[in-house]
Amino acid sequence: MTGSDPPSLAGTAPEGGGGVVHSDGAAGSNGVANLSGGESRSHLTSRITNADAIPIGDADPGADHGYHGELAAILIGEDDLKAKIAVLAKAVAADHDMDTPPLLVCVLKGAVMFVTDFARALPIPSELEFMAVTSYGSATSSSGVVRILKDLDRDITGRRVVIVEDIIDSGLTLSWLLRNLATRGPASVDVVALLRKPEAIKVDVDVRYVGFDIPTDFVVGYGLDYGERYRDLPFVGLLGEHMYR
Ligand code: IMP
Ligand code: MG
């Protein structure tokens, strides 16, 4: 339900799930399904449950980065992230050819760690673009009405675009982005997302490659932040409740 709501924090980007959907007509379809290179590669996705979380004991891996006693658990460790990214990269490469290199569109800032590791794991050439968007809405719920803070630097006409996302929560931001990019004449638009919270999804978005399905709890690390902190952690972890209650 609303378990993925980031704790409200002044200055935090209005991202994350929860709240009421203000549908702008996108629900159920992003309108670009036939622009996708094909059906979802669901066999790539690992299901992570709370039972997989490794509680932080005496050795606190957050402390190596200056976050002493702030994390509750590691949800996905560095090695598992690395192994998954190699698998995702192979799968994306298999759907592209050398002549039409994928144009990776990294959605700032959360996907930064992922895109750099992903591009380095891709066995074919790729090109890199960045986009930054912000979602209008309350502090804790994304409305699906999105504003572009930084647009692509170039034309994507005829290109095979792969949107690289850190996490799909409600899916509202991504749904908007898919429709926006589809109007620019790309040959295809696919999505690779490292994480997805299936229970938080409010709009049906075509995400072809998903690394991990995770519980709705708020996660940090590997690009994901809480009030701009924790992006620098090399693993995905659960924040201690005392950090936001
Ligand atoms: P939505 O899919 O439109 O609800 O928004 C997704 C965005 O919310 C992601 O790109 C993240 O930036 C942010 N987000 C969602 N869940 C989390 C979380 O658990 N931790 C950190 N950021 C999150
Ligand atoms: Mg994001």
Side-chain angles (χ1 to χ4, degrees):
M1 234 187 47
T2 56
S4 64
D5 284 0
S8 53
L9 187 78
T12 308
E15 302 179 315
V20 178
V21 186
H22 304 276
S23 173
D24 56 1
S29 161
N30 58 48
V32 290
N34 54 6
L35 257 187
S36 164
E39 67 206 38
S40 142
R41 300 283 194 251
S42 50
H43 63 279
L44 302 171
T45 311
S46 303
R47 175 86 209 179
I48 303 282
T49 69
N50 284 321
D52 298 307
I54 301 166
I56 305 278
D58 294 337
D60 177 357
D64 298 342
H65 298 265
Y67 301 116
H68 298 268
E70 301 187 26
L71 302 169
I74 296 182
L75 193 62
I76 310 170
E78 262 185 277
D79 292 347
D80 291 337
L81 289 172
K82 195 172 179 212
K84 178 61 74 180
I85 290 166
V87 168
L88 293 173
K90 265 197 200 132
V92 171
D95 291 338
H96 289 77
D97 51 59
M98 303 284 274
D99 305 333
T100 53
L103 182 69
L104 306 181
V105 172
C106 167
V107 185
L108 294 171
K109 302 173 199 171
V112 155
M113 306 294 173
F114 178 36
V115 80
T116 57
D117 284 339
F118 179 78
R120 283 178 287 184
L122 261 186
I124 57 168
S126 61
E127 295 174 21
L128 193 50
E129 280 289 315
F130 294 92
M131 206 165 162
V133 297
T134 187
S135 168
Y136 288 107
S138 70
T140 56
S141 78
S142 131
S143 64
V145 181
V146 174
R147 183 163 58 101
I148 296 176
L149 299 176
K150 187 225 170 292
D151 207 343
L152 302 176
D153 291 334
R154 55 191 154 136
D155 188 20
I156 58 168
T157 309
R159 296 302 307 264
R160 295 204 56 196
V161 172
V162 177
I163 299 175
V164 181
E165 262 286 20
D166 49 356
I167 187 166
I168 297 165
D169 190 22
S170 69
L172 289 163
T173 309
L174 183 61
S175 160
W176 182 91
L177 193 59
L178 277 166
R179 277 177 288 123
N180 181 285
L181 295 184
T183 64
R184 308 184 193 194
S188 62
V189 183
D190 286 297
V191 181
V192 55
L194 184 63
L195 310 172
R196 177 172 63 187
K197 294 178 177 173
E199 280 99 46
I201 286 173
K202 291 176 184 162
V203 284
D204 191 18
V205 249
D206 259 343
V207 183
R208 195 162 189 209
Y209 317 92
V210 178
F212 301 94
D213 275 337
I214 63 168
T216 51
D217 307 85
F218 195 73
V219 292
V220 295
Y222 201 69
L224 293 158
D225 74 308
Y226 172 51
E228 295 301 327
R229 303 182 85 225
Y230 312 107
R231 293 194 199 273
D232 48 347
L233 288 171
F235 53 85
V236 173
L238 299 173
L239 197 56
E241 293 217 352
H242 63 287
M243 295 309 296
Y244 52 86
R245 302 251 178 235

